[in-house]
Structures are given as C-alpha cells and as structure tokens.
Amino acid sequence: MEEYVDLLDRALRQLPRGKTNDSRFIIPTPKVFMEGKTTIFDNFDAMCNYINREREHVMKFLLNELGTAGKIAGDRVILQGRFSSDEVEHQIQRYIDEYVLCWECKKPDTHFTKMDRVWVLKCDACGAIRPIIKRKGGTVKK
Ligand SMILES: [Zn+2]
C-alpha cells in the first residue's frame, strides 16, 4: 500500500503542467481523511508541487477559508476539526481559480510577481497580468 501511494505521488509530480495543447488543467484529488477531531490532508505537498505554489501560501488560504487552525507536518497537513474531502477540494479549487489560473487563457503557467509594490499574477503562456485580489481578513503575501 505504501509503495502504491509513493508511486502515485511520484506520478503526480511528473505530470506536465499545462504545456500541452489540452488546456484542461486536471487537479489531483485531495486525499483527505478524518482522524479523531482532526482532518488530515495527506497529499498536500504533492498538490502544492503540482500547482507550483508555496505551501505556506496555500496553507494560509486553506485555514482562512475553512476558518480553522492547523499545521504542516511533513508532506501532509493536519487541520483542527472535521472536514470532508469535498470541502477541502472545493477550497483548493477556489485557490487555483484565484491564484493559479490565468483569467485570459485559463492556463496554469503563471507566477506571482511584484509591480509597483503590488503583487500580481503574471501568465507565462500569454503574458496577461492581473492584480491578486486582497482577501478579507488578511493580506496576500508571497
Ligand atoms: Zn494566460
């Protein structure tokens, strides 16, 4: 079972990121399960690698949106409280819509950059730039 999970993680890491003609960006399904009063997001690290974003930034978003506390422990995240995989997946989807996908060409080949002291999302595929929306309850930091 361990080996299978390892293989799966490795396979996920090796997936190309929107470099093909197929513009559909397929997000790995979050592996989420509850353990007592906490929720484990088991493939958090693989997810961050896949979407090419810093773990701390994804984590901050996740905690804000779920309204809970938690910590990164190795490759996984431990959240206080019980959340379904659907809830976690929904938030990851929102994160990707907001911080990963280009609004113009819908490709995930983007990165954060600073322009005039404002963080923007720049698309490597089409060159589009848009400001990163400031979320209520916190400022956006890289
Ligand atoms: Zn673009």
Side-chain angles (χ1 to χ4, degrees):
M1 190 58 197
E2 274 303 309
E3 278 173 31
Y4 174 72
V5 171
D6 279 353
L7 280 175
L8 201 65
D9 280 352
R10 220 171 303 148
L12 287 177
R13 282 172 210 266
Q14 285 166 1
L15 284 176
R17 291 198 194 103
K19 297 288 186 196
T20 63
N21 288 331
D22 182 9
S23 63
R24 198 170 137 71
F25 180 49
I26 298 171
I27 305 150
T29 307
K31 250 186 288 171
V32 174
F33 55 91
M34 295 169 199
E35 209 173 77
K37 287 176 179 166
T38 63
T39 301
I40 313 293
F41 181 172
D42 205 38
N43 57 345
F44 178 75
D45 191 57
M47 180 73 76
C48 294
N49 282 337
Y50 185 74
I51 64 175
N52 199 20
R53 285 297 177 270
E54 286 180 18
R55 304 187 330 160
E56 288 70 22
H57 190 251
V58 179
M59 182 66 175
K60 195 175 165 195
F61 176 90
L62 204 57
L63 294 183
N64 264 342
E65 297 306 306
L66 292 172
T68 188
K71 61 176 180 185
I72 297 171
D75 290 347
R76 43 161 60 177
V77 149
I78 301 168
L79 300 165
Q80 295 300 317
R82 294 164 68 86
F83 301 96
S84 69
S85 56
D86 281 353
E87 281 175 280
V88 175
E89 190 169 1
H90 176 67
Q91 298 307 340
I92 291 292
Q93 182 64 61
R94 289 187 54 225
Y95 179 91
I96 289 166
D97 286 346
E98 211 158 312
Y99 296 113
V100 182
L101 293 182
C102 173
W103 284 1
E104 295 290 331
C105 68
K106 310 292 179 201
K107 288 199 170 138
D109 303 324
T110 60
H111 65 273
F112 293 163
T113 187
K114 219 169 188 183
M115 283 179 70
D116 298 328
R117 286 183 294 167
V118 177
W119 283 106
V120 296
L121 190 71
K122 181 155 196 262
C123 177
D124 300 324
C126 75
I129 293 170
R130 68 169 165 89
I132 295 166
I133 300 164
K134 272 227 173 96
R135 306 192 54 80
K136 60 176 161 54
T139 53
V140 175
K141 282 193 196 129
K142 184 164 185 268

